[in-house]
Amino acid sequence: MSARDRILAKLRANSPSTVGNPPDVAAWYATHRIAENGADKAKRFRHFIELAHAEVYAVSRGGWLQKLYEVLSAKQIGKLLIAPGTAHGARVAAELPGLDIACPAYDTAIESWKPALFNDIPAAFTRARAAIAETGTLILWPDADEPRLMSLVPPLHIVLLDAASIHNTFYEAMQAEGWKDGLPTNALLISGPSKTADIQQTLAYGAHGPKELVVLLIGDEQ
Amino acid sequence: MNAPQTPHTLHFMPSAGFRARAKDVVDNPFLRQSFRGAMDFLMSKRAAQFPDAEELESLRTLGESIRQYNLARLPDLLERLEARLTANGIQVHWAETPDEANEIILGICRRHEAKLMVKGKSMVSEEIELNHAAEAAGIGALESDMGEYIVQLADEKPSHIIMPAIHKTKEQIAKLFAENVPGVDYTDNVDALIQIGRRVLREKFQEADIGLSGVNFAVAETGTLCLVENEGNGRMCTTAPPVHIAITGIEKIVEKLEHVPPLLSLLTRSATGQNISTYFNMISSPRKPGEKDGPSEVHLVLLDNGRSQAYADEQLRKTLQCIRCGACMNHCPVYTRIGGHAYGTTYPGPIGKIISPHMLGLEATKGLVTASSLCGACGEVCPVKIPIPELLIRLREEAFSAPPRANPAMRGQGAGYSGLISAVWRGWAAVYRSPSLYRVATWMGSRLRGLVPSRQGAWTSVRVPLKPAPKRLRDMLKERG
Ligand code: SF4
């Protein structure tokens, strides 16, 4: 018998004969979390992610590129990693190089340029597919066009988020978007820059991931 | 069924000697202060996350029902998880013992001719002593969680399941870095220390052949491994190296994705008082064609190591509801005074006392189950309502009553049984059941009180000796008429 069969046999030999009712998660959320309207959701999202040390800027659908440029200039960053296969990445690649911001593209497999990503890229720009108001959380589904390490390795991560895609809760997000019917290779919730309190409970940012997280929030009430 | 497994040996600290180690800590004012301060901090952070008692209570009830529902179907869910993960391209391995788990992991490392494995925080990997096994096999195993990195540099073990280096001061860490990290001068600035760790470990994330991680929840319906963390090292370990190996206990499964949000909320709020962790990392497959990063191989090792023993008994099964938040230790008056190392087990504190007997047998852990005042704080804060005090009483019975005990057999049942002690208690019970015996016994006690020794073992080390009164209450009442 394999370890697998032995473990399963042990468990089966003593399984409870009755299985209780499935837990009613929907009912708990219906009675314990309020569903807010768009502006309030955006406000709540912003409050919590700022508490976690992220910077949030309200931008318009047409004006985010200008804000992106301003953020980079203020931080004196002249290089931004972009995802060339995405609409927002292509737009940046078309405009920012003219303003003296180099825009290297994440267009080849990591194996061919790992050291450069770790050592020579100060910032990266991605989109968030959605967000969660309750906890101030960004939802990213990295893919072939916008790879996983973009939101992890560069010290500054700038994220474009449409306020219309903010959900009240994590539960609402996964239900509304039908996550159970298909998750990507990697789905991520990000709620601030990387941090640790492992030394004497003293909070320090920039543990292993980004030291700074900037959110460009499209449609946020000014 | 439940054949005794070879007890797994702990390399750093034997499980015996608990009392001596506990005394060392109690006598050390610095450690006492560290733990007291840290526990007060964590308790107040948790309390701030649960301002509404009704919300907390109903969420705990939901968390409990989710865990119990899933445990009730555990064997089926394990099979479903395996099928789903396999369909997603993740390879599943099963291990009954720590040795088997190490063999599986090292086998994968050998196949890839791995020299370096970077590790995200995984208590199960501590449980199987993977670092030692890897070292013995000539493979470097480097901890990358800041706390774990610190304790590994110091050649120690974590003293807390959430905050591994909680027993260390920043000055000690500064010294440790200055002495062990090449090119580093002494600094006790916390930001600077973290940046040193970041620099060293970023090199290693690039170099590593294997990334190892734990799992917080494994979702059967989607075949997804979920990881909770703040630092980003878990994401590094599961994304940068070409191979990712995850290891988990067989109990951490939920059937449905919708079971995750309530448990995640309970976990981060109970553990560190955060409404959510910085990262929640959900992995459902290796790198797909066209994707530009992520490991091309992902493995999951499912470890039993005594969990099936706890599973076999309806009451003890509740032990497996645990989501490893650490709140029970943060609120434990014993843990706060003796710290995590005194226990000598991978999992310290209340959860350690109720899970370790299944992993190590009662022979090695019988002292632990008595190290509780049964104050009940652990059971009150547990986010999934594990009745820890009840389980401690049950385990005391299992450890100290005469074998054989009721089915199912626990490893080391009756290991603490003493014929003399149980005869004394039987005598005591007989005396208290019979009025005439009781009268004779108390009469004798009041006459023979001079024979009571003045040294009564541990009792008199800090207290005056116990002595029967010269006059019984009944005699005094009689005199008053
Ligand atoms: S027993 Fe409960 S309180 Fe303790 S670690 Fe597990 S879930 Fe948390």
Side-chain angles (χ1 to χ4, degrees), chain A residues 4-215:
Chain A
R4 174 187 189 276
D5 295 342
R6 279 194 302 273
I7 293 171
L8 287 173
K10 274 194 271 186
L11 295 176
R12 288 234 155 81
N14 299 293
S15 275
S17 45
T18 53
V19 175
N21 291 331
D24 197 345
V25 180
W28 191 88
Y29 278 92
T31 48
H32 289 87
R33 290 292 178 267
I34 36 167
E36 291 178 318
N37 66 26
D40 289 340
K41 272 191 292 192
K43 220 165 116 191
R44 188 180 293 273
F45 163 80
R46 184 172 183 156
H47 169 75
F48 281 109
I49 201 161
E50 281 179 343
L51 266 187
H53 238 240
E55 289 171 40
V56 181
Y57 299 99
V59 293
S60 65
R61 210 159 293 278
W64 59 261
L65 192 65
Q66 174 63 27
K67 187 44 115 185
L68 174 62
Y69 175 69
E70 286 168 23
V71 168
L72 291 169
S73 306
K75 295 183 188 293
Q76 298 182 318
I77 287 173
K79 202 195 266 185
L80 181 68
L81 180 68
I82 53 115
T86 62
H88 52 279
R91 190 169 161 203
V92 172
E95 311 253 354
L96 288 192
L99 296 165
D100 263 356
I101 308 261
C103 292
Y106 197 153
D107 54 6
T108 50
I110 183 61
E111 283 70 26
S112 62
W113 70 297
K114 212 186 254 184
L117 172 63
F118 273 82
N119 301 312
D120 306 332
I121 302 285
F125 179 61
T126 74
R127 191 180 77 99
R129 76 178 265 124
I132 301 166
E134 181 191 11
T135 47
T137 299
L138 297 161
I139 300 175
L140 273 70
W141 281 22
D143 56 18
D145 284 330
E146 204 158 70
R148 294 161 71 171
L149 290 171
M150 287 184 83
S151 60
L152 181 63
V153 176
L156 168 63
H157 178 206
I158 305 178
V159 185
L160 187 63
L161 171 68
D162 190 334
S165 66
I166 302 177
H167 298 279
N168 286 289
T169 61
F170 182 21
Y171 174 72
E172 184 189 292
M174 65 169 58
Q175 296 296 3
E177 298 184 8
W179 287 23
K180 71 173 168 42
D181 303 320
L183 277 169
T185 303
N186 184 208
L188 285 168
L189 306 191
I190 299 179
S191 306
S194 139
K195 68 182 178 200
T196 183
D198 271 357
I199 300 183
Q200 267 191 347
Q201 301 96 55
T202 308
L203 195 54
Y205 291 93
H208 295 289
K211 298 178 180 184
E212 292 178 275
L213 177 67
V214 172
V215 181

Side-chain angles (χ1 to χ4, degrees), chain B residues 172-194:
Chain B
Q172 288 171 322
I173 296 165
K175 204 159 155 272
L176 193 67
F177 278 19
E179 285 166 7
N180 293 284
V181 184
V184 163
D185 292 329
Y186 181 96
T187 168
D188 58 17
N189 176 299
V190 171
D191 276 312
L193 290 169
I194 294 297

Side-chain angles (χ1 to χ4, degrees), chain B residues 161 321-329 350-351 354 378 381-386 388:
Chain B
I161 62 171
Q321 287 165 218
C322 177
I323 54 172
R324 301 283 189 271
C325 72
C328 54
M329 54 196 76
I351 177 60
I354 59 171
C378 48
V381 295
C382 177
V384 287
K385 291 197 167 178
I386 301 176
I388 303 173

Side-chain angles (χ1 to χ4, degrees), chain A residues 6 33 144 151 196 198 209, chain B residues 55 96 147 198 231 235 292:
Chain A
R6 279 194 302 273
R33 290 292 178 267
S151 60
T196 183
D198 271 357
Chain B
E55 193 251 13
E96 263 190 302
R198 176 185 173 100
E231 295 186 357
R235 287 184 62 200
K292 299 181 183 70

